[in-house]
Amino acid sequence: MTTRRSFIRQGLLAAGGLMIPSSSFANFILSGKKKVIVIGAGFSGLAAANKLNQRNFDVTVLESQNRIGGRVFSHQMNDNLVVELGAEWVGNSHNRILELCNELKLDLSENQMDTHLLYKGIYSPARQWDFSKNWKLKMESLLENYRHLNDKDKLILDKMDWWRYLVNNGCKDRDLDLRELMDSTDFGESIRKVSANAALSEYVENTGDTQNQMDKKIIGGNTMLAQRLSEKLGKEKILLNHAVTRIEQGDKVKVYCANGKVFEADKVICTLPTFALKNIDWKPGLPENKIEALNELQYARINKHAMLFDNRFWKSENFDMVTDQLPHYFYHATQGQSGSSGVLISYSIGDKAAVIANQNDMTNFKSVQETLQPVFGDVKSHLKQQANYYWGNDQRSHGSYAIYGPGQWFRVRPVLKEPFMHTHFAGEHLADWQGFMEGAIVSGEEAAGEF
Ligand SMILES: Cc1cc2nc3c(=O)[nH]c(=O)nc-3n(C[C@H](O)[C@H](O)[C@H](O)COP(=O)(O)OP(=O)(O)OC[C@H]3O[C@@H](n4cnc5c(N)ncnc54)[C@H](O)[C@@H]3O)c2cc1C
């Protein structure tokens, strides 16, 4: 079987995107301890830096913010409760992150959910709703069929959007609405913007003990892993408040920061999301095809509205609920954390997220209150505190994670991945497990093995 991932790996090798150390690279390593600058202290940068450190390179990480972790952004709601405003779940299939947690002595809690549904004003408790029998059978056969597709079939499939593919295969009415609501939660935008191959390759992996890769969370917050990785590396090797503004490449690389500092290195690993990457002044300029690819790739707009309540009126610890309302998707964000108070997050995507982001917390809470009314009555008296983060306006990524639209995965990604002179690229958007912490880590480690 060729999975999306192994297929991509073959494609990259064919395109020369995966670097096999050449003799000049071998000379590079042999001629003493070489200096590498890693740009970005997200999971990708921290993973790359650790790998380089192990390989005895002299590593410095430059990070523009005053914190590490990037799009992993744990937030303390009160003294006891921590929530995630960025990356949330670790999948049971995410082997590398699980391995690192084990190595760095971090425990994970089980976090699978039992999903409720609120659709067209009718509330259906968990396990009392489903897709139609016909559509369920059809979906199973489509996933089975996908397992047997060859590479050429996948390239063709990638040109179609997921919504069109579903419609063409007889998904309609309530089934189609439910797929839109649930799958847009995974991808962060309407399924009309998602490639059919991206969707199928993701859902075909959802077998065995994973619940859509929303299985576990790191106890104490996902940021704990960033902290442990930085301790392993040596915190002195990470320079915060060092926003890279210019990269000059000649015999060596000169990296300029907004604070006036300049660094010289033999190699650079750049782990920035495409928006931040393109804002750097590159000398010489980036190749035309890379600029086009950077301009083409979009990032999904996700808004997280976290609400602390004085009790967990949703009753079951593993509560989550898909709705067809503006607040989109609710989940218990403090599952397994002790105490009687708890946090519900309203997780909205695409245009809905953009609308929510433009309102204040109280206006958004009113819409939450109205949505939850048929299920839990008036919840206002339980509200204690709110926190909101809209990734669509994040200065660095302008979105939560990359969303490869129809026709982009096999065409755009290899171009973005291709090294440019002394600079190699990594980050979630270039990974086989694209959109996940797992992907960020693995792509960072891979880039650190490219020379
Ligand atoms: C809302 C949301 C939900 C998510 N849910 C999940 C989930 O449930 N499970 C999961 O596995 N993943 C999830 N993700 C995805 C996950 O967060 C990312 O895949 C991963 O964190 C990306 O890591 P990275 O290192 O590639 O990029 P980043 O984390 O973005 O790291 C890049 C770093 O570069 C820094 N930087 C930017 N510009 C410059 C500059 N000019 N100079 C120096 N530094 C710079 C940034 O500050 C940042 O620290 C989610 C993300 C979001 C936002």
Side-chain angles (χ1 to χ4, degrees):
M1 181 184 80
T2 305
T3 64
R4 172 176 71 142
R5 292 158 187 52
S6 60
F7 176 51
I8 290 157
R9 206 170 279 279
Q10 288 154 20
L12 270 173
L13 277 170
L18 265 186
M19 296 297 294
I20 294 162
S22 65
S23 58
S24 64
F25 282 129
N27 292 340
F28 166 77
I29 292 164
L30 285 173
S31 56
K33 194 161 180 171
K34 295 294 183 179
K35 172 96 196 151
V36 184
I37 298 282
V38 174
I39 309 178
F43 273 21
S44 188
L46 292 170
N50 267 295
K51 185 93 182 177
L52 290 165
N53 204 31
Q54 276 167 14
R55 294 185 60 206
N56 206 27
F57 286 101
D58 173 8
V59 190
T60 302
V61 182
L62 302 177
E63 166 56 51
S64 61
Q65 298 189 71
N66 62 2
R67 65 170 184 86
I68 57 171
R71 282 171 276 166
V72 175
F73 188 18
S74 308
H75 174 76
Q76 207 70 41
M77 278 306 268
N78 65 15
D79 287 348
N80 304 319
L81 300 174
V82 66
V83 297
E84 305 295 343
L85 293 178
E88 189 95 31
W89 297 281
V90 174
N92 281 337
S93 320
H94 294 170
N95 297 332
R96 185 60 188 134
I97 191 168
L98 291 171
E99 212 171 74
L100 275 174
C101 287
N102 186 38
E103 179 198 325
L104 299 171
K105 310 264 176 297
L106 288 172
D107 291 327
L108 294 106
S109 56
E110 294 303 324
N111 213 96
Q112 293 191 345
M113 313 274 190
D114 229 352
T115 306
H116 302 233
L117 176 69
L118 184 60
Y119 174 69
K120 293 195 172 171
I122 295 168
Y123 166 64
S124 307
R127 293 161 201 260
Q128 291 180 39
W129 64 276
D130 209 339
F131 290 97
S132 70
K133 221 177 185 169
N134 279 349
W135 173 250
K136 263 176 73 173
L137 287 173
K138 181 71 185 179
M139 184 71 185
E140 276 165 27
S141 76
L142 293 173
L143 289 173
E144 186 48 36
N145 186 35
Y146 184 79
R147 292 191 175 93
H148 305 288
L149 291 190
N150 63 32
D151 298 349
K152 203 168 146 223
D153 296 331
K154 287 183 185 175
L155 276 172
I156 293 167
L157 194 57
D158 190 54
K159 297 203 170 111
M160 192 186 291
D161 68 77
W162 183 223
W163 180 87
R164 170 60 64 189
Y165 177 88
L166 291 169
V167 171
N168 286 358
N169 281 286
C171 187
K172 58 182 188 202
D173 305 330
R174 180 178 180 276
D175 290 324
L176 186 59
D177 283 352
L178 295 190
R179 284 238 73 101
E180 169 72 58
L181 292 171
M182 295 173 75
D183 301 350
S184 65
T185 307
D186 295 335
F187 287 95
E189 292 284 344
S190 164
I191 60 172
R192 294 174 193 237
K193 297 189 177 178
V194 175
S195 123
N197 185 59
L200 281 163
S201 66
E202 182 123 356
Y203 296 138
V204 86
E205 307 263 351
N206 289 342
T207 51
D209 67 347
T210 182
Q211 198 184 62
N212 214 7
Q213 310 304 338
M214 296 159 73
D215 303 310
K216 292 183 161 71
K217 282 186 4 185
I218 298 174
I219 294 175
N222 294 332
T223 300
M224 295 285 292
L225 181 55
Q227 280 163 10
R228 293 285 161 90
L229 284 169
S230 76
E231 284 158 16
K232 188 176 175 213
L233 175 68
K235 285 185 178 175
E236 71 288 351
K237 295 194 171 112
I238 304 170
L239 305 181
L240 302 177
N241 300 311
H242 278 65
V244 172
T245 53
R246 181 181 168 93
I247 296 179
E248 279 177 13
Q249 304 194 78
D251 287 346
K252 295 216 169 200
V253 196
K254 264 189 169 174
V255 180
Y256 295 76
C257 295
N259 61 12
K261 301 269 176 59
V262 183
F263 299 82
E264 197 175 76
D266 300 285
K267 291 275 174 191
V268 165
I269 293 184
C270 177
T271 69
L272 306 191
T274 52
F275 187 85
L277 195 161
K278 184 146 181 292
N279 273 349
I280 291 177
D281 180 17
W282 294 81
K283 288 282 171 299
L286 293 167
E288 202 59 42
N289 65 342
K290 205 182 263 296
I291 293 175
E292 278 169 17
L294 288 167
N295 283 333
E296 216 184 296
L297 189 64
Q298 277 287 347
Y299 281 58
R301 294 163 296 168
I302 290 177
N303 188 82
K304 284 196 177 185
H305 178 194
M307 294 157 285
L308 173 68
F309 292 100
D310 64 7
N311 74 48
R312 301 181 183 186
F313 55 80
W314 45 92
K315 302 228 168 31
S316 47
E317 275 293 290
N318 61 355
F319 170 83
D320 73 343
M321 183 164 72
V322 172
T323 83
D324 54 3
Q325 300 295 304
L326 193 59
H328 193 71
Y329 170 63
F330 291 95
Y331 60 93
H332 177 199
T334 47
Q335 186 178 156
Q337 298 185 40
S338 61
S340 52
S341 56
V343 177
L344 265 193
I345 285 186
S346 143
Y347 183 106
S348 52
I349 56 97
D351 291 341
K352 290 182 186 173
V355 170
I356 288 176
N358 281 343
Q359 321 305 317
N360 63 32
D361 281 354
M362 265 343 277
T363 308
N364 286 328
F365 182 72
K366 266 191 205 145
S367 133
V368 166
Q369 202 183 352
E370 272 171 30
T371 304
L372 293 180
Q373 171 77 39
V375 189
F376 299 116
D378 193 351
V379 298
K380 189 167 182 213
S381 61
H382 299 296
L383 180 70
K384 290 290 157 213
Q385 206 187 306
Q386 305 179 71
N388 197 82
Y389 198 86
Y390 175 53
W391 288 90
N393 285 345
D394 181 82
Q395 279 174 31
R396 295 149 293 269
S397 56
H398 282 267
S400 48
Y401 37 77
I403 175 163
Y404 282 87
Q408 290 187 320
W409 180 257
F410 299 109
R411 183 173 53 80
V412 172
R413 199 188 81 132
V415 177
L416 292 174
K417 175 88 179 122
E418 217 161 288
F420 174 48
M421 300 178 75
H422 302 296
T423 305
H424 293 243
F425 297 93
E428 155 277 316
H429 59 295
L430 302 177
D432 294 353
W433 274 111
Q434 187 264 309
F436 293 100
M437 295 179 277
E438 172 79 2
I441 290 168
V442 172
S443 88
E445 291 180 339
E446 278 182 4
E450 282 175 2
F451 47 84

